[in-house]
Amino acid sequence: VSQSRYDSGVVSNSVVISRQRRLNCFFEIRQDGDKAQIVARGTAGLNAIIELPDAPIRGWRVVNNVLYVVAGLSLCKVLSNLSSSIVGTFDPNSTGLVSMADNAVQLLIADGAAGYVYTIVTGSYAQSALNTAGSFGKIADANFPNGTNSVTFQNGFGIAAKPNTRQFYQSGFYDFTNWTSALSLPIFGTKDDGSDNLP
């Protein structure tokens, strides 16, 4: 449904006019010819539904209907009933936004300094200290590109960008703790569709 230029962001009595609904914000229509004729202004929420033990929120990801939030130096697990618990703690020098990916059995987190893994499902991983569900720790494999702040998951493999390069590194199959091939070499490739570096 299209929205008129001067729509207030409130559902109209006739949904043909507008079905738009704004949450925790309102539109201010500027009458004095500013560059922006309509400005969305934020408002505080009415009800606090959950408060995490640490701040600020640095990233989050939903895996198997569970919300994982990096808040301050804590990895928090939030269930659908809004109960939360701390399941991991980052190094004291960990700051800024994080990048997160999952393969449904492990959660991969990069904070721009190191990589971390939270084990969701018990398995047999290269880093045996992280074999049990609920384990959290730093990636020990020397071939993980520490310093990355860009990770993703594709076709069974974790992928991490090497900072300030066009190179990306690949994890073992469904194992974010393993970044070394059977030949004891790193598994990496180079982006060749442009000269710019990976983010």
Side-chain angles (χ1 to χ4, degrees):
V1 176
S2 63
Q3 182 179 7
S4 71
R5 185 175 173 194
Y6 296 107
D7 193 339
S8 65
V10 178
V11 176
S12 173
N13 289 336
S14 172
V15 294
V16 174
I17 296 172
S18 176
R19 292 182 61 102
Q20 300 295 324
R21 178 175 176 264
R22 304 287 181 256
L23 182 62
N24 295 342
C25 71
F26 65 93
F27 278 156
E28 177 184 329
I29 299 173
R30 306 294 299 161
Q31 302 295 337
D32 53 1
D34 287 348
K35 183 176 179 182
Q37 294 179 346
I38 300 177
V39 178
R41 300 195 46 152
T43 61
L46 297 178
N47 299 312
I49 58 170
I50 187 172
E51 186 172 335
L52 297 175
D54 207 351
I57 303 298
R58 301 167 56 199
W60 64 83
R61 187 165 187 87
V62 176
V63 185
N64 301 331
N65 296 318
V66 175
L67 174 65
Y68 294 93
V69 182
V70 176
L73 296 176
S74 302
L75 174 63
C76 300
K77 180 178 181 179
V78 182
L79 302 179
S80 58
N81 64 5
L82 299 180
S83 64
S84 67
S85 59
I86 295 175
V87 296
T89 304
F90 294 85
D91 285 349
N93 62 348
S94 181
T95 60
L97 298 178
V98 299
S99 179
M100 303 170 77
D102 75 272
N103 57 18
V105 297
Q106 293 170 309
L107 179 65
L108 172 62
I109 305 167
D111 68 356
Y116 297 82
V117 171
Y118 175 75
T119 302
I120 300 167
V121 178
T122 297
S124 180
Y125 308 115
Q127 197 168 332
S128 59
L130 297 176
N131 284 343
T132 307
S135 300
F136 177 81
K138 192 182 286 188
I139 296 172
D141 193 322
N143 288 319
F144 178 79
N146 284 320
T148 186
N149 57 5
S150 181
V151 295
T152 190
F153 172 76
Q154 183 177 7
N155 297 334
F157 300 95
I159 299 171
K162 184 176 180 181
N164 303 312
T165 71
R166 294 166 50 213
Q167 289 184 334
F168 57 90
Y169 285 66
Q170 176 184 298
S171 75
F173 190 65
Y174 281 90
D175 184 1
F176 290 152
T177 70
N178 179 20
W179 297 79
T180 301
S181 72
L183 300 175
S184 299
L185 298 171
I187 307 165
F188 67 92
T190 302
K191 176 180 78 80
D192 60 5
D193 64 346
S195 60
D196 56 321
N197 292 336
L198 291 168

